[in-house]
Amino acid sequence: MFDLKSVSSLEKILPDRKCDTAECKCVSGLENETVSFQLVFASDKRAAYSFDIAGDGLDVKVYFVENVPVEFPTFPLTLNDSDFISHLPGLYPDRLVPADRNWVQVTDIYKALWVSVSGKCGVHKLNAVFRDENGETAAECSLDVHIINAELPKQDLIYTQWFHTDCISEFYGFETFSEEHWAMIEKFMRLARENGINMILTPVFSPPLDTQVGRKRPVSQLLKIKKNGKSYSFDFSRVKRWINLCQAVGFEYYEMPHLFTQWGAEFTPRIIAEVDGEEKDIFGWNVYAVSEEYDNFLSQLLPQLLDFLKSEGIFAKTYFHISDEPFLEHLENYGKARRIAEKYLEGCKIIDALSDYDFYRNGVVRIPIPSTDHIKPFLDAELSERWCYYCCSQCVNVSNRFTVMPSSRNRSIGFQLYKYRMDGFLHWGFNFYYSQYSRILLDPFAQTDAYDAFPSGDAIGAYPCRSGPAPSIGLVVFNEALQDLRALKLLEKYIGYENTVSLAEKALGEEISFDSCYCAEAILKTRECINNKIASETEKRYYRENCPAIPASGRGIGKSYA
């Protein structure tokens, strides 16, 4: 017996000897959209089988779905949240490794191939065939791929996942900003950009993130600095190389590293400079944020940095940070730090992840980034830009990407971002391979939870494979949510915002809110309704513009697009 079937991208196939997941016989998308599904297989004959997956007129990419160890699945407070695959440790699918061969070892344990397709308008038949060592067909299946005659609009949501360059150099053993390091940085950048990330954390100096007080993360400072007494000179050549690379890859937005330390803005970030011909730490945990020395440094750095950003043509699309995740008890410190920095940041946008509304109410933060479980008062405020974020703490009833969560919970956020007209989304963990507080470097193939600190799936969006990064299911499914968002934006151009929200909520069967997520069946049905409506409206517009004398009725409008 050889069991082979196609299933939705929202299913997670656990290593098991049974798989009763519903079969998926058709998928749909727009012409510039990537549509994904999975091929699930198992056999009572343990052997290597070759596979052939192809469809006329389709660009097909195949990935091996690999399981990862999950020792810390979630927090105890989620035990009453039933929308988890499990609350227990185990092996769960998450790593998508690009297929570099056309065969798999098949056993009676279910495995999956992840298939991503794109193509031109039309109905395409995709066929998958598995053959034994004699070339005989062991199993085959097919599904229809409907590509609709329309294109997703350009993504206007600003989306960042923090990019940790030191994790790349440390894991691969590269000297920081060596040519090998630059080459691998580019590969990670391209993976991020392919999955909707269009803003990048730019390490002008080493970002002061997730570092234990008194300890140091490896240097990842682009800016070259020379210190002579109280004077500083700056060499932006390496920053320019970074920006040139980002522009070649397709990034549009940039965020500068936080100007003060995390969780309180009490100290200065680690910054190195050449002093009397020797490279030294000139700032760090030993220097208070409000020191005269650091104020003097910022008074020289920031005006030159702004001039540089303007000369590169990216000033208007660059954001600054003061300190990450300040709590209410840090309000005074944060305010002092901000007043020091903003003297030199005229005309700049300053954003920070935080959850207490008092930071905005008191005018200390003008563009707050609240967590999705504390967002309600911010939604009622008249903000110049609406942002949100989640991390490991957002785990009850809200969208997130924990490995033990169903992918539908991850993808739910696309509808939420649309309804509330969010301008930006932030996540901290594109490629964080350290333990909490960056004490030690981990093997992300063995430890996926920052050494029992954050539930698996939170810290890693991209896995560092030998020849380059491999995406996580969490990363790819979030991009599917972004495609849902863009499809909703396209539909809005035809029928308006209110009608678009109404259509989506009717299909989902409930009101869209940040504290409610939707099952896979509801999400896929809703996206099908959106696609159908886009197809109908596109056809109407075509005939209205090209055949104005022919009545609109009877032209086949409204036929089903799966």
Side-chain angles (χ1 to χ4, degrees):
M1 183 193 74
F2 194 116
D3 189 15
L4 171 67
K5 62 181 175 181
S6 52
V7 304
S8 158
S9 63
L10 298 184
E11 302 294 337
K12 289 189 176 180
I13 308 303
L14 302 179
D16 206 338
R17 286 183 167 84
K18 64 181 188 302
C19 180
D20 54 6
T21 304
E23 194 163 8
C24 169
K25 297 305 292 182
C26 62
V27 292
S28 70
L30 279 59
E31 284 197 311
N32 60 340
E33 183 171 8
T34 299
V35 182
S36 298
F37 60 93
Q38 298 174 85
L39 293 172
V40 182
F41 55 88
S43 174
D44 56 2
K45 179 185 177 182
R46 302 172 64 89
Y49 291 82
S50 63
F51 59 83
D52 181 36
I53 304 167
D56 290 339
L58 292 174
D59 179 22
V60 180
K61 294 182 179 178
V62 181
Y63 302 81
F64 300 115
V65 181
E66 294 189 351
N67 295 311
V68 300
V70 174
E71 293 186 41
F72 179 17
T74 184
F75 296 105
L77 60 89
T78 67
L79 291 176
N80 291 327
D81 185 335
S82 61
D83 192 23
F84 278 74
I85 296 170
S86 174
H87 294 83
L88 299 175
L91 286 176
Y92 295 85
D94 192 48
R95 188 166 51 242
L96 301 179
V97 178
D100 58 356
R101 63 181 192 274
N102 70 333
W103 62 271
V104 286
Q105 187 73 19
V106 182
T107 71
D108 59 346
I109 300 295
Y110 277 91
K111 298 179 183 177
L113 295 175
W114 187 281
V115 184
S116 294
V117 299
S118 58
K120 294 296 184 182
C121 172
V123 180
H124 307 266
K125 181 72 71 175
L126 186 139
N127 298 297
V129 181
F130 281 66
R131 296 184 175 88
D132 63 20
E133 57 189 9
N134 298 316
E136 298 294 326
T137 298
E140 57 186 327
C141 70
S142 65
L143 77 164
D144 292 335
V145 179
H146 291 199
I147 305 296
I148 294 165
N149 187 20
E151 291 191 354
L152 294 175
K154 182 176 179 290
Q155 179 182 312
D156 57 12
L157 180 88
I158 305 172
Y159 171 34
T160 180
Q161 282 196 40
W162 283 344
F163 194 96
H164 301 274
T165 55
D166 56 346
C167 288
I168 298 173
S169 59
E170 289 288 290
F171 179 84
Y172 288 99
F174 297 149
E175 181 182 344
T176 302
F177 298 126
S178 62
E179 290 306 311
E180 289 177 312
H181 190 204
W182 278 108
M184 191 59 72
I185 285 172
E186 180 175 354
K187 291 181 179 181
F188 275 76
M189 282 184 176
R190 290 194 180 279
L191 178 65
R193 190 66 197 91
E194 287 167 7
N195 286 280
I197 297 172
N198 55 10
M199 172 186 262
I200 189 162
L201 181 63
T202 297
V204 174
F205 50 80
S206 302
L209 296 170
D210 214 275
T211 307
Q212 184 179 8
V213 176
R215 297 177 68 93
K216 301 175 183 178
R217 276 179 69 159
V219 172
S220 56
Q221 177 177 312
L222 289 166
L223 187 64
K224 298 177 182 177
I225 305 172
K226 287 186 178 181
K227 183 178 186 295
N228 184 13
K230 293 186 177 182
S231 298
Y232 301 89
S233 61
F234 306 102
D235 177 356
F236 288 90
S237 58
R238 210 156 53 184
V239 185
K240 182 174 178 58
R241 178 174 179 178
W242 174 278
I243 291 169
N244 289 344
L245 176 57
C246 290
Q247 290 176 330
V249 169
F251 286 98
E252 296 180 72
Y253 301 92
Y254 302 82
E255 53 181 325
M256 295 296 107
H258 298 71
L259 294 169
F260 303 89
T261 52
Q262 197 170 17
W263 308 306
E266 288 190 70
F267 302 99
T268 56
R270 184 186 186 190
I271 298 175
I272 61 172
E274 183 183 314
V275 183
D276 298 327
E278 185 180 349
E279 199 168 77
K280 296 181 178 179
D281 286 21
I282 57 171
F283 293 106
W285 294 111
N286 59 321
V287 181
Y288 282 108
V290 295
S291 67
E292 207 174 289
E293 182 185 0
Y294 192 55
D295 191 340
N296 172 56
F297 173 76
L298 293 180
S299 73
Q300 297 179 59
L301 168 64
L302 293 179
Q304 292 189 48
L305 176 58
L306 299 194
D307 287 343
F308 171 76
L309 297 173
K310 290 172 184 176
S311 70
E312 293 298 308
I314 63 170
F315 173 77
K317 293 192 172 183
T318 299
Y319 290 70
F320 285 80
H321 291 287
I322 300 299
S323 174
D324 187 46
E325 291 188 320
F327 302 114
L328 188 58
E329 60 265 31
H330 305 135
L331 182 60
E332 184 179 355
N333 273 353
Y334 184 95
K336 289 178 181 178
R338 182 187 175 100
R339 285 191 290 276
I340 290 172
E342 67 182 357
K343 293 183 296 185
Y344 315 113
L345 293 175
E346 184 177 353
C348 297
K349 294 180 178 181
I350 301 174
I351 56 175
D352 271 322
L354 50 87
S355 293
D356 200 294
Y357 188 69
D358 281 349
F359 280 85
Y360 176 74
R361 191 202 318 273
N362 295 334
V364 179
V365 175
R366 297 184 186 90
I367 307 178
I369 307 181
S371 59
T372 52
D373 58 346
H374 290 84
I375 198 169
K376 190 177 186 313
F378 296 92
L379 294 176
D380 297 333
E382 294 187 8
L383 302 171
S384 60
E385 293 187 19
R386 285 187 168 191
W387 286 66
C388 63
Y389 85 103
Y390 60 57
C391 62
C392 63
S393 298
Q394 287 64 56
C395 55
V396 177
N397 298 327
V398 293
S399 179
N400 212 313
R401 69 180 201 191
F402 292 4
T403 309
V404 295
M405 287 178 172
S407 285
S408 55
R409 188 146 175 180
N410 182 355
R411 188 163 164 179
S412 292
I413 201 166
F415 301 103
Q416 299 161 355
L417 295 171
Y418 174 74
K419 178 176 178 177
Y420 294 102
R421 297 184 169 182
M422 305 306 292
D423 296 294
F425 181 85
L426 177 150
H427 193 283
W428 76 278
F430 179 68
N431 61 320
F432 184 78
Y433 308 138
Y434 296 130
S435 64
Q436 187 180 24
Y437 304 127
S438 306
R439 291 188 179 102
I440 56 172
L441 181 70
L442 302 177
D443 176 357
F445 295 92
Q447 292 172 302
T448 58
D449 53 19
Y451 208 169
D452 294 328
F454 314 124
S456 293
D458 184 45
I460 299 175
Y463 290 90
C465 295
R466 182 179 302 171
S467 59
S472 66
I473 288 177
L475 179 71
V476 174
V477 170
F478 193 98
N479 190 46
E480 290 186 320
L482 296 180
Q483 293 183 155
D484 294 339
L485 168 63
R486 293 163 66 192
L488 288 161
K489 291 283 185 79
L490 176 59
L491 183 56
E492 180 183 331
K493 292 180 180 179
Y494 293 129
I495 66 173
Y497 169 77
E498 297 294 341
N499 288 333
T500 301
V501 171
S502 177
L503 180 148
E505 290 185 334
K506 183 177 179 181
L508 287 169
E510 61 180 290
E511 183 180 352
I512 296 169
S513 67
F514 274 104
D515 56 5
S516 179
C517 294
Y518 324 107
C519 68
E521 182 181 6
I523 289 174
L524 297 173
K525 174 189 172 185
T526 302
R527 185 55 204 275
E528 180 181 334
C529 290
I530 294 166
N531 288 352
N532 285 344
K533 191 64 173 173
I534 289 172
S536 174
E537 294 297 325
T538 301
E539 190 172 355
K540 285 180 184 177
R541 174 170 290 191
Y542 173 83
Y543 280 104
R544 191 163 56 242
E545 293 175 353
N546 296 278
C547 310
I550 303 175
S553 61
R555 295 186 182 130
I557 296 168
K559 61 186 177 182
S560 174
Y561 289 77

